[in-house]
Amino acid sequence: MSDTSEEAKPINLAIVINGEKIVEYQRDRALASKHAQDLDTMDAKLAHGIELADSQISQPNLQDKSTFVAQLLINALLHESDAHAAISCAWLATRCPDLKQVQAEQKEERLTIRLIYDKEYVVASSLKFVPKHQLSS
């Protein structure tokens, strides 16, 4: 008999900025009803249209909304706006159940954000190079 409890557990959403995991949203925790209402309010606002990449989108699809909310999330984290970061992260985690990571890279004035659906966050490990002459046979 195999244990499938690990398979049934939802995958957390990792928010990574410049290679460092900043936040991890745990999807197996239930939202408070107040937060669920906040997400519904956010859905209603997003349905009225968004501005994305200097273009006004009057009827955004889920991908448009996800990209927009990811930008809100990263900006909230960079500016230490915890309330905005929390609602944005909760929206992404609940509305995009297959989303595994939001990765952001900030270089000078440029901010690049990627939504990762196919790979869970794993802590990067470094390899230590050992010169050949130091290897024992």
Side-chain angles (χ1 to χ4, degrees), residues 9-54:
K9 186 177 177 184
I11 295 171
N12 293 340
L13 172 61
I15 313 304
V16 181
I17 300 177
N18 296 329
E20 180 183 349
K21 182 171 66 171
I22 304 297
V23 173
E24 185 170 2
Y25 186 95
Q26 297 177 348
R27 286 186 166 114
D28 58 351
R29 295 189 181 169
L31 277 175
S33 62
K34 162 77 170 103
H35 295 136
Q37 290 172 347
D38 291 344
L39 294 179
D40 291 341
T41 300
M42 192 170 174
D43 282 331
K45 288 180 180 178
L46 291 170
H48 284 98
I50 59 174
E51 186 173 323
L52 192 59
D54 296 327

Side-chain angles (χ1 to χ4, degrees), residues 26-97:
Q26 297 177 348
R27 286 186 166 114
D28 58 351
R29 295 189 181 169
L31 277 175
S33 62
K34 162 77 170 103
H35 295 136
Q37 290 172 347
D38 291 344
L39 294 179
D40 291 341
T41 300
M42 192 170 174
D43 282 331
K45 288 180 180 178
L46 291 170
H48 284 98
I50 59 174
E51 186 173 323
L52 192 59
D54 296 327
S55 298
Q56 186 65 32
I57 303 172
S58 60
Q59 295 181 342
N61 61 29
L62 182 59
Q63 186 63 41
D64 295 333
K65 293 175 189 177
S66 300
T67 302
F68 179 79
V69 174
Q71 289 176 352
L72 292 177
L73 169 61
I74 299 302
N75 284 321
L77 288 169
L78 292 174
H79 294 96
E80 299 180 14
S81 177
D82 294 342
H84 287 113
I87 191 73
S88 298
C89 191
W91 188 93
L92 286 167
T94 58
R95 297 331 193 234
C96 306

Side-chain angles (χ1 to χ4, degrees), residues 95-113:
R95 297 331 193 234
C96 306
D98 295 333
L99 183 62
K100 294 177 174 70
Q101 297 181 60
V102 175
Q103 291 185 351
E105 292 290 327
Q106 186 175 29
K107 293 181 182 174
E108 298 171 12
E109 295 296 315
R110 184 180 173 119
L111 180 65
T112 304
I113 299 172

